Amino acid sequence: METTLRGVGVSHGVAIGEVRHMGTAVLEPPAKQIPAEEAEREQGRARQAVEAVAADLVARGNLAGGEAQHVLEAQAMMAQDPELIADVDRRIAVGSTAERGVYDAFAAYRALLANAGEYLAGRVADLDDVRNRIVARLLGVPMPGVPDSDQPYVLIARDLAPADTALLDPTLVLGFVTEEGGPTSHSAILARALGVPAVVALPGAGEIAEGTVVAVDGSTGEIFVEPSDEKRAEMESASAARKAALSAVTGPGATSDGHKVPLLANVGGPADVPAAVEAGAEGVGLFRTEFLFLDDSKQAPSEEKQIAAYRAVLEAFPEGRVVVRVLDAGADKPLDFLTPADEPNPALGVRGLRSLLDHPDVLRTQLTALSRAAEGLPVYLEVMAPMVADRADAKAFADACREAGLQAKFGAMVEIPSAALRARSILQEVEFLSLGTNDLAQYTFAADRQVGAVSRLQDPWQPALLDLVALSAEAARAEGKSCGVCGEAASDPVLACVLTGLGVTSLSMGAASIPYVRATLAKHTLAQCERAASAARAADSADEARLAAQAVLSGE
């Protein structure tokens, strides 16, 4: 009998197929003692396994490219963390086997994160995956991971580690469903990059029996278990109609009455550019530069290396707009040369612009590299700072841009509620705002963006979050300046209409979402978007806001 479940839809599209479950996790190794004379050999085994797993993660990243490559390289760095390895060595020295030493050391680090308030809990799935891979190699058992199948299927897992998500074969994995995760988790971001329908934060998903037919709607978050023929036909028809609508609408983003809303792409480096160009992106609204710095956590990349990478992206959008975010280090992206090692709550500590102001040489080199990369190109370069809290932050960044001789617009990201509340003050120092709705939701609701248990508070439809967007957009309009959105909120086509109605002047998203947003905007007038925005803000919950906006846009 058909039953309906609801999680959080994070990647558009419809998938209908049989369920396959993710391979089981590595069993806990036995806690047996070894003689002291075997400790050195076991330590060597542990180090070899760590290096092999790190190399495998890097190789997977090279194969996947794009955003996935950066995520997997960061995960490889996690495997080689000196403090973790030192803890493994200590445990082996007092009698643990290599596999037990690894297992216990990772468990202690996991507990440390939890006791710190789980500000880094979004990386627990990554941490568990690294542990499982190292222990599996030491035990000589197969790696846990995506099931082998020569027939297409819908994958169900407790959570998906980046190493698994990055190499999913879209011709076999029709879609995936996870019990954990949130709308801005690594798995969600990579699913959108792959164009695979996905639903996360669905408790009990693992109880759906292997081989059961399910229909997954990655837009609504609905899962239909054993769907009827009528439901399957309905979803397939809606999917076909959606694809037809996407191909029928081309050109710059705009509402049906001609109000322009530039649609830009979020990119993590040169590898992401081809997909953005193919999707018709009008430029880049968020160029994440962390990928360059994660290659070596010990030192910043040279100015010449940065110039080459930046120019490769700038050249892809002649006469287009490219918005570059300077290094956003700290919290879940620690760098040995930049971020403190002993912060109790890294997400609330020295991250983003705060780190750069503490290390002005790193910021100066990056700004100079950006300036040199843009020389002679007809591109509209804009550079923005992450984690701006107030006018003093904005002024410090603007001064640094001027001192570096940067011929570009410089702006501030609105990711902290104080920046939204005092947006007009910040705009006295910078020329534009860009809303990072992922972090803005996290800090507004004190809800870690990677923790599935608080996913309802990460929902970008939360009215309180929409209020902060409206405040920022109103401030920008009053100052005659622009205010874009580069967080994951922009990838939701209906929410994109609401953001337009709130006064947002551009939308930036993963390349796969651009056609959906373009087609949806083209069906509605600016006035309809404004009414939908008002209806959403008048609601008391994310679900009510979504339904209210949908009702307005559908003419109900």
Side-chain angles (χ1 to χ4, degrees), residues 11-102:
S11 185
H12 304 299
V14 169
I16 302 174
E18 291 188 0
V19 163
R20 295 287 182 273
H21 286 273
M22 190 66 133
T24 56
V26 174
L27 295 175
E28 180 177 347
K32 65 180 183 181
Q33 291 285 304
I34 60 169
E37 59 269 22
E38 293 184 16
E40 187 174 347
R41 180 179 66 84
E42 289 295 287
Q43 288 169 340
R45 286 182 63 227
R47 289 196 190 93
Q48 287 176 356
V50 165
E51 292 305 318
V53 166
D56 178 63
L57 290 168
V58 170
R60 285 169 176 259
N62 291 336
L63 283 173
E67 180 73 24
Q69 182 172 5
H70 315 145
V71 172
L72 291 174
E73 287 174 350
Q75 201 177 10
M77 288 170 55
M78 181 184 290
Q80 297 169 304
D81 182 274
E83 291 188 15
L84 265 174
I85 293 173
D87 190 19
V88 172
D89 281 345
R90 283 193 296 270
R91 292 172 187 275
I92 294 173
V94 295
S96 288
T97 61
E99 47 267 36
R100 188 71 206 193
V102 168

Side-chain angles (χ1 to χ4, degrees), residues 126-441:
D126 300 18
L127 187 70
D128 288 348
D129 182 59
V130 171
R131 176 204 65 202
N132 289 348
R133 290 174 185 278
I134 297 171
V135 172
R137 182 171 289 275
L138 287 166
L139 291 174
V141 300
M143 295 286 178
V146 177
D148 290 329
S149 175
D150 55 4
Q151 296 297 318
Y153 59 92
V154 173
L155 179 63
I156 290 185
R158 184 184 64 79
D159 203 349
L160 281 173
D164 297 314
T165 317
L167 295 183
L168 290 179
D169 183 349
T171 63
L172 287 176
V173 181
L174 302 171
F176 66 76
V177 181
T178 65
E179 295 189 66
E180 298 293 330
T184 59
S185 65
H186 276 156
S187 292
I189 292 171
L190 294 177
R192 284 187 284 270
L194 287 167
V196 176
V199 173
V200 301
L202 180 66
E207 297 172 11
I208 302 174
E210 185 92 359
T212 302
V213 174
V214 296
V216 178
D217 190 325
S219 299
T220 66
E222 291 176 307
I223 308 294
F224 300 95
V225 181
E226 297 289 8
S228 64
D229 291 343
E230 291 78 10
K231 174 58 69 176
R232 293 178 66 156
E234 174 190 327
M235 293 184 71
E236 288 169 349
S237 175
S239 179
R242 189 179 298 164
K243 289 179 181 177
L246 295 180
S247 60
V249 181
T250 58
T255 58
S256 62
D257 54 343
H259 175 73
K260 293 183 178 180
V261 188
L263 302 182
L264 312 171
N266 294 343
V267 303
D272 293 339
V273 167
V277 172
E278 184 179 351
E282 298 167 59
V284 173
L286 173 61
F287 178 7
R288 305 180 184 94
T289 57
E290 289 75 40
F291 77 102
L292 277 169
F293 293 80
L294 291 173
D295 284 347
D296 183 354
S297 68
K298 304 296 183 185
Q299 61 183 359
S302 69
E303 184 176 318
E304 295 304 320
K305 182 177 180 180
Q306 292 189 53
I307 290 170
Y310 301 151
R311 195 169 180 89
V313 174
L314 296 175
E315 287 176 336
F317 295 95
E319 300 186 9
R321 177 186 179 198
V322 176
V323 184
V324 179
R325 180 180 71 191
V326 294
L327 175 63
D328 183 12
D332 61 333
K333 291 170 285 189
L335 296 170
D336 293 347
F337 67 89
L338 199 66
T339 49
D342 56 353
E343 285 189 298
N345 287 335
L348 300 181
V350 183
R351 65 166 290 197
L353 180 62
R354 299 168 188 175
S355 291
L356 294 174
L357 294 179
D358 281 351
H359 298 80
D361 53 324
V362 175
L363 177 58
R364 188 182 308 111
T365 298
Q366 185 170 25
L367 294 175
T368 302
L370 284 165
S371 180
R372 290 180 59 193
E375 288 176 357
L377 297 179
V379 68
Y380 296 95
L381 175 63
E382 301 184 11
V383 183
M384 62 186 181
M387 299 299 292
V388 171
D390 56 15
R391 183 172 179 174
D393 278 352
K395 183 179 187 304
F397 179 65
D399 287 346
C401 289
R402 294 188 191 98
E403 289 169 11
L406 190 64
Q407 299 298 309
K409 285 186 176 182
F410 26 90
M413 291 197 70
V414 177
E415 302 167 285
I416 303 173
S418 63
L421 294 168
R422 301 290 294 170
R424 196 159 184 180
S425 172
I426 287 172
L427 283 165
Q428 304 310 303
E429 305 293 344
V430 296
E431 299 172 81
F432 69 92
L433 299 177
S434 183
L435 287 136
T437 52
N438 306 350
D439 270 324
L440 185 57

Side-chain angles (χ1 to χ4, degrees), residues 46 58 60 71 194 385 396 405 443 449 468 504 517 533:
V58 170
R60 285 169 176 259
V71 172
L194 287 167
Y443 292 123
R449 54 187 278 194
L468 294 175
V504 166
V517 173

